[in-house]
Amino acid sequence: MDSLKFLLVILDGVGDRPIPDYGGKTPLEAAFTPHLDALARDGSCGLVDVVEPGMPVGSDIAHLLLFGYDYNRDYPGRGPLEALGIGLAMGQDDIAFRGNFANIDQNMIIIDRRAGRNIPEAKEYIKVINDAIKSLDLGVDVTFKHSTEQRVACLIHGPSLSPRVSSTNPNKNFVPVEECRPLDGSGEARATASIINAITRKIYEVLKDHPLNKSRKERGVPQVNCILFHGPGVMKKIVSLHLKHGIKVAGVTGNGVIRGLCRYLGIDVIPCPGATGTINTNLDAKMDAVEEGLKDHDLVFLHIKATDSSGHDKKPEQKKLFLEDIDRIVGGRILRDIDHSCTTVVITGDHSTPCVVGDHSGDPVPFLMHGPAVIADDVEQFGERACASGYFARFSSRPLMNIILNKLDKLKKFGA
Amino acid sequence: MDSLKFLLVILDGVGDRPIPDYGGKTPLEAAFTPHLDALARDGSCGLVDVVEPGMPVGSDIAHLLLFGYDYNRDYPGRGPLEALGIGLAMGQDDIAFRGNFANIDQNMIIIDRRAGRNIPEAKEYIKVINDAIKSLDLGVDVTFKHSTEQRVACLIHGPSLSPRVSSTNPNKNFVPVEECRPLDGSGEARATASIINAITRKIYEVLKDHPLNKSRKERGVPQVNCILFHGPGVMKKIVSLHLKHGIKVAGVTGNGVIRGLCRYLGIDVIPCPGATGTINTNLDAKMDAVEEGLKDHDLVFLHIKATDSSGHDKKPEQKKLFLEDIDRIVGGRILRDIDHSCTTVVITGDHSTPCVVGDHSGDPVPFLMHGPAVIADDVEQFGERACASGYFARFSSRPLMNIILNKLDKLKKFGA
């Protein structure tokens, strides 16, 4: 037998609520998932509350908790994770923001807070913006970089900065861009807020009549003339998973923030160009990367994003069909290609994103564990309802890393 | 009806993982246990995490937690528990170590860290050692006493001692005996470490050519010329179970550390010469002692050790057969002889010791409760899989004492 291995599959936002069109079944329950069901049948199941029952949570924080870290002590903010995820090197005192390309009118009213999401000219816009910011006399270095779709990261390097400032993104259309405000009385917070406000004005000024936007206008797609800022943060000193537990961990993801989180936790990100974080992601390429990772890592983490996006977009049928793709490719290859004599597999989610809500909810997520040291229960289907009667019953995700380390026989016993 | 009684049966290390030879059943599931199954059928079941899901735990700490005590505040260390268990009276500032007889070579390399486990001359060796230590000018009183097999306790009485010193037992063969080192910068820790190192050298000097060893050599069994020290500790002031909850508690065990824990918690240890802590223990004698104890105690705790040893020794068949003995004698007599109109019985474990691992693991343990105030669920078998779907679902052991006190109607309500 080879050494013990673990595969942790997180289906982002997989949990859902009853869909009337499916006779009250959730998208996962309505989906045809013979492979996932076979894994459930031979494994043990449960329902997981990632924070606590009823509490909705963001994907970044959910993953931080799933890997056994403490939110208050260890969460650096969305900005630093996005920056790390797209390869921006952050120094000790740098502040990172996450940003969204947006379309605003001359009164700073938001027309489309994502500028249509599809922005092929993103890199050109970034260049224009980076050049324009240099002409401002801000006393700090500012770098923008594109992530995916409308998403960008912004890194500010300089003395006397603070992440204690407010977001400029009201998260809805037809309201004004919010002013960035200091969240405490420090000079650092005031300085940082006024830098963000100056940048916001400069971006509108340089883009409002830019040829890139003329071209988009002609094509009838929203112009890009604003960046909305949120998620400011600085890096925190944390202990990597490797140092903490003596295990080598690899990650496969198409999502910038989750890739950033991997780098933050010392998880080796396995390159996978086909991984896009959308429903068109190349799941076969991701499973290739997983199998590559399992060769020389104890734990491989596979993250799949578009279950969540389908929930946000209120598209149950898209979520159901994507879950059937996941079943066929990921479930099928786990059943066929993974060495079950030494590999334990967990498939679960980071939170629920019910299609009827269009956002994260506090409903628990289904959980299945399959492997050589797993006691099979009577659950015969991977779904919200069926998993509730499994061996794990309903449990908090807090001890998940210990559950993983236990199956890897990597925990020292507490006491003698 | 007589007054309410409670019997708590702890099968040490009972939880296990699937055994391929048993078609994926655990030893408990594969064992023929009609009496335990009958108790499960009429009772309510669950799965218990003694610390938290996934976390392996030692038996001493597990029992301390099961009885509702706090590890950080109340755990005195393995040494004091072993010392108490074999009747060494510990004073306020005494330090106790647990020790193992071992066989080492002239370079202090460990040949057998248990000196063959079977040491009929143990008491004679102890006498030689105690006399030899007296000749050292250590400024403290040192007393060794034999426990079971290779196990001894060592009590050091004197001023300015500290338990903050390292173990000398590397827990494997063919490596040197470790030096005892102070774990902090105090003079007390330095003094205690050098006492242990002096004792270690003296024991080798006096035993290396001793006639007792010549005789063992001739019989081809490992010589005894070393004691490996671990688990140093001092007594802590704790509130006994009786003072804490107003209940009288009795214990029946053949294991030194658990007997020590009983004395530490104010549990009356009922003498039971047939209780050996091995698979040859006299289970009938232990049940006699249990019935004796139930006459004048509210709660009787029955501890059975060899389920754990079978897991450590990776012997599933031995574990299974021993569980069938337990079923026949303990299960049979509980069904037949206990007054079920007033007695609640819990049968569970302190941790899992899977035969495929050979050590404690963080897997949960099966739990059954049977008695007049118990709501029967649909579970029909006492086993890891079956218990998962019971009334108790999966739960932490932390509130176990309250669950017991509740069935004894001994808890005052919280609030008005």
Side-chain angles (χ1 to χ4, degrees), chain A residues 346-413:
Chain A
V346 157
I347 304 177
T348 186
D350 57 343
H351 56 74
S352 292
T353 310
C355 295
V356 293
V357 178
D359 203 345
H360 302 193
S361 78
D363 303 286
V365 289
F367 174 94
L368 87 76
M369 180 184 277
H370 177 280
V374 166
I375 289 175
D377 55 30
D378 294 335
V379 176
E380 304 216 331
Q381 200 201 352
F382 184 56
E384 289 85 346
R385 196 164 332 227
C387 285
S389 63
Y391 174 87
F392 280 92
R394 184 161 171 170
F395 68 114
S396 151
S397 73
R398 204 176 50 81
L400 179 65
M401 267 315 292
N402 282 341
I403 291 171
I404 291 172
L405 293 164
N406 177 48
K407 294 302 185 196
L408 287 169
D409 293 343
K410 289 280 185 191
L411 277 181
K412 277 195 189 152
K413 75 184 161 205

Side-chain angles (χ1 to χ4, degrees), chain B residues 143-162:
Chain B
T143 313
F144 283 89
K145 189 169 179 184
H146 181 238
S147 172
T148 55
E149 296 181 313
Q150 80 286 355
R151 299 175 197 99
V152 305
C154 171
L155 201 64
I156 310 185
H157 171 78
S160 305
L161 297 170
S162 165

Side-chain angles (χ1 to χ4, degrees), chain A residues 130-178:
Chain A
N130 277 333
D131 289 346
I133 303 298
K134 278 201 196 93
S135 74
L136 287 172
D137 186 21
L138 295 169
V140 294
D141 294 330
V142 178
T143 313
F144 284 89
K145 190 170 177 183
H146 181 238
S147 173
T148 54
E149 296 180 312
Q150 81 284 0
R151 300 175 196 98
V152 305
C154 172
L155 201 64
I156 309 187
H157 171 78
S160 305
L161 296 170
S162 166
R164 300 269 305 136
V165 298
S166 68
S167 161
T168 67
N169 188 346
N171 264 318
K172 51 189 171 193
N173 295 336
F174 312 118
V175 294
V177 175
E178 291 185 1

Side-chain angles (χ1 to χ4, degrees), chain A residues 332-354:
Chain A
R333 288 186 59 173
I334 287 175
L335 268 181
R336 271 196 317 276
D337 302 341
I338 298 288
D339 181 352
H340 296 291
S341 74
C342 61
T343 312
T344 306
V345 179
V346 157
I347 304 177
T348 186
D350 57 343
H351 56 74
S352 292
T353 310

Side-chain angles (χ1 to χ4, degrees), chain B residues 42-70:
Chain B
D42 292 343
S44 52
C45 294
L47 285 179
V48 179
D49 293 296
V50 175
V51 184
E52 61 174 52
M55 178 59 76
V57 62
S59 287
D60 48 356
I61 293 173
H63 279 81
L64 195 74
L65 298 174
L66 288 171
F67 283 111
Y69 287 82
D70 181 86

Side-chain angles (χ1 to χ4, degrees), chain B residues 56-181:
Chain B
V57 62
S59 287
D60 48 356
I61 293 173
H63 279 81
L64 195 74
L65 298 174
L66 288 171
F67 283 111
Y69 287 82
D70 181 86
Y71 167 72
N72 289 307
R73 195 188 52 208
D74 302 326
Y75 182 62
R78 193 90 167 182
L81 294 179
E82 187 80 59
L84 276 177
I86 57 177
L88 276 174
M90 279 190 76
Q92 187 61 42
D93 300 319
D94 297 354
I95 312 276
F97 288 80
R98 203 174 177 217
N100 279 349
F101 282 133
N103 177 227
I104 60 173
D105 73 9
Q106 70 278 11
N107 298 316
M108 305 287 276
I109 305 293
I110 299 166
I111 308 303
D112 183 338
R113 66 197 173 95
R114 296 192 183 100
R117 261 198 202 269
N118 180 24
I119 303 157
E121 316 88 337
K123 285 209 164 71
E124 296 162 77
Y125 278 113
I126 290 290
K127 190 175 178 325
V128 173
I129 292 169
N130 278 333
D131 289 347
I133 303 300
K134 279 202 194 92
S135 75
L136 286 172
D137 187 22
L138 295 170
V140 294
D141 294 329
V142 179
T143 313
F144 283 89
K145 189 169 179 184
H146 181 238
S147 172
T148 55
E149 296 181 313
Q150 80 286 355
R151 299 175 197 99
V152 305
C154 171
L155 201 64
I156 310 185
H157 171 78
S160 305
L161 297 170
S162 165
R164 299 271 306 139
V165 298
S166 68
S167 161
T168 67
N169 188 346
N171 265 318
K172 51 189 170 194
N173 294 334
F174 312 118
V175 294
V177 175
E178 291 185 1
E179 184 127 2
C180 187
R181 292 179 311 276

